[in-house]
Amino acid sequence: MTPKKMLIIVCDGLSDRPVKQFDGRTPLQAARRPAMDALARHGTSGVMDVIGPGVIPGSDTAHLALFGYDPYKVYTGRGPIEAAGAGIEVARGDVAFRCNFATVDGSLRVVDRRAGRIKVGTDQLAKAVSGMVIEDIKVVFKEGSEHRGALVLKGPGLDHRVTDVDPHDEQRILEAKAMGPEAEKTARVLNEFVRRSYAALSDHPVNRARVANGQPPANIILPRGAGSIRELEPLSERYGISCAAVAGVTLVKGICKLVGMDVADVPGATGGLDTDYRAKAEAALRLLQTHDLVFINVKASDIAGHDGDFRMKVQVIESIDMMLGMILKDIHEDVVVALTADHSTPVATKDHSADPVPVTISGGGVRVDGVREFDEISAAMGALGRIRGCDLMPIVLGMADRAKKFGA
Amino acid sequence: MTPKKMLIIVCDGLSDRPVKQFDGRTPLQAARRPAMDALARHGTSGVMDVIGPGVIPGSDTAHLALFGYDPYKVYTGRGPIEAAGAGIEVARGDVAFRCNFATVDGSLRVVDRRAGRIKVGTDQLAKAVSGMVIEDIKVVFKEGSEHRGALVLKGPGLDHRVTDVDPHDEQRILEAKAMGPEAEKTARVLNEFVRRSYAALSDHPVNRARVANGQPPANIILPRGAGSIRELEPLSERYGISCAAVAGVTLVKGICKLVGMDVADVPGATGGLDTDYRAKAEAALRLLQTHDLVFINVKASDIAGHDGDFRMKVQVIESIDMMLGMILKDIHEDVVVALTADHSTPVATKDHSADPVPVTISGGGVRVDGVREFDEISAAMGALGRIRGCDLMPIVLGMADRAKKFGA
């Protein structure tokens, strides 16, 4: 049996919720999508929790899962997860921390580890400390919910093996210590950041107002839970396949590089609403000649969702359908094609949601169920059932006759 | 986007198996249930393995899962699971053990660790040792299948870090030893219990009869696998929501308190067949004003199942439907409503079964599938697919726009 080639098309933020003003349809349901429907008719469909049920995926964690990596295992420590949650991109080599805004007295003794569970103004405090440069390290800081925040150090020679500054108790703040010589620079930069946070926040207008109101000032940032992104086993070693990516948006390109894909340089693939769908289709067809797996990400559907623009999202979906039609015209049953999304971005909420995404897989030998349309509800009735994001790659590999037998 | 309120209604033991004498219908299929069907028509349905496929849930483990806690992680050691399985309620602070009925000689040397795999009479033997008080500790003991049983010690100052009495071998029984000073009382009480079990069982009529029949007497109880219930992170911290419960039956109330719900005192909510459905509906509507999540448990459907009374179960379901109708009349799309069960209690078997339970979720923005009726089979055709109990809470939170993003 000759292994088949594989094409995975991820329409970013494609899926949605029913919208009353449009007859209770989703943008995907409202769009003309002959190519998507043809794929569904000749394949097997289902829905997918990209990370897990009820978890809202970021595009980074979602793509890791779609490529078969458990995003909870890819990150070491809680820091990078907190940072990802706060919306800071964590690249390989960065060190990320969970942080508290806290209250210390003049001798840096912790008076309140949560600064009175501060609720407002942390965005302004975050701005006062983010962006500084210490030695050659760039500091990115973003507030989280209440007293929480995330810190990412970016630059050369960092290592996550440093101890916490947060004493987890009402005592003097701790000096971060390197757990090995390779982390000494990180500890030094981190301690300097904490000192500077105290200097920048002590007299900040937000804190002056808090003190005037009898509230404890959020006058220092206490990092803990240092972590970095693990080196990932590339797809080529993991599954023995060569992989190429056609993507416009930086974050997704970064993840593709992280898993060892050849990221194509496609002029016109902008990652925006103006992306050149025809150029993406042609690039994908070309790369299918040289690679076992080709991955396409189209970002525009997510952008329309974030903009809350139903009609724009419909239009984007119809453009993607046109792109898919071009591709399907030129390939045959020896390619397994999977069409799905990395998460839902409902126009009603203008942000990612935890609603599962539709998925359809087609190709020679793939079982054909009764699903005739590609949308959130029709796909859910398909033979694929409800799967998880990290199952997609193994399933596609199995259908492409590239999976390994476990047992005798 | 304003987060929505949430209402989760659990009909205890609701689902069932087809019954031949009633045209192969389940009680749920046979009942008039206009409100339940309306909910299904406007929402998304599926079936749920509350603990896992083929696992028969207890009401305690089921509710833990429905609230998003992994029941296998909530309990330390195997003791509390065995106790839960035997139907003993394990509260925080209790220490539970798995036990064997065993045969020892006069010098307390184990002759048969399973007392000849004793099959009958263990209920009487259990009664002879259960209920005793040692120091200020109450002893609850219940037989399990064959030679197995579960022991729960209840009272102040207990700790589960004690070694096994069961030598797991044919040698003299072991003295339980405290693994730290805080467990010394537990070890002392446990050793005393084992001594008293020998005294109470040696000359018990069941054992006299066994000896007369040439069978080894079940003359001692050998505890092992000490464990207790972990302190649980309350729902308020875990998900940042305020929660209230309307429940009549003690066990469920206990679990609700364990996860930090405000348990309402509703006069007339008895946890029995005579419960006041109208009072429950009114209490739930009232609590929705002050809390983010309101949980309702109705026990009566389980009781009718345990009684094996098909007609009674139909009647209970119709009463629950009336209660649901009252609630739905007064709430709008800004509440996500989930209707489900904690387990099946088929009238044919008169006990809990591992059959999955139907679930339907409705509310503003929730995808609407083609399911038009709420029953075990119709729900299984819905877009929700087959989920697990511990996924319900994250899914409901996601639909209520209360989930957190993981990633960027």
Side-chain angles (χ1 to χ4, degrees), chain B residues 21-39:
Chain B
Q21 306 91 290
F22 293 91
D23 305 323
R25 288 182 300 172
T26 66
L28 183 57
Q29 288 178 317
R32 275 198 71 252
R33 41 179 160 64
M36 294 181 183
D37 290 350
L39 203 69

Side-chain angles (χ1 to χ4, degrees), chain A residues 15-18 20 51 53-61 71-72 81 84-85 251 344 348-349 351-352 354-356 376-377 380-381 386 388, chain B residues 1 4 44 237 333 364-371 381-387 391 394-395 397-408:
Chain A
S15 42
D16 213 293
R17 295 175 176 178
K20 254 196 194 149
I51 309 282
V55 180
I56 302 177
S59 280
D60 51 352
T61 52
Y72 291 102
I81 297 176
L251 181 65
S344 303
T349 62
D351 205 347
H352 302 189
D355 302 287
E376 296 87 346
I377 300 301
M381 306 297 143
R386 185 171 187 142
R388 296 213 175 195
Chain B
M1 196 71 191
K4 300 183 194 78
T44 188
E237 281 178 30
E333 291 222 315
V366 173
R367 293 179 187 161
V368 180
D369 58 25
V371 173
M381 306 297 144
L384 204 58
R386 186 170 185 141
I387 61 172
D391 296 331
I395 288 173
L397 285 162
M399 290 174 174
D401 295 315
R402 291 175 181 274
K404 288 196 174 56
K405 195 194 287 189
F406 173 45

Side-chain angles (χ1 to χ4, degrees), chain A residues 136-159:
Chain A
D136 54 356
I137 300 301
K138 196 184 162 201
V139 170
V140 183
F141 184 89
K142 205 156 171 224
E143 76 284 359
S145 58
E146 298 192 325
H147 55 279
R148 299 177 195 90
L151 166 70
V152 180
L153 302 180
K154 289 174 177 282
L158 294 170
D159 190 287

Side-chain angles (χ1 to χ4, degrees), chain B residues 331-347:
Chain B
I331 59 175
H332 300 91
E333 291 222 315
D334 55 347
V335 182
V336 172
V337 181
L339 174 68
T340 188
D342 58 345
H343 52 74
S344 304
T345 308
V347 293

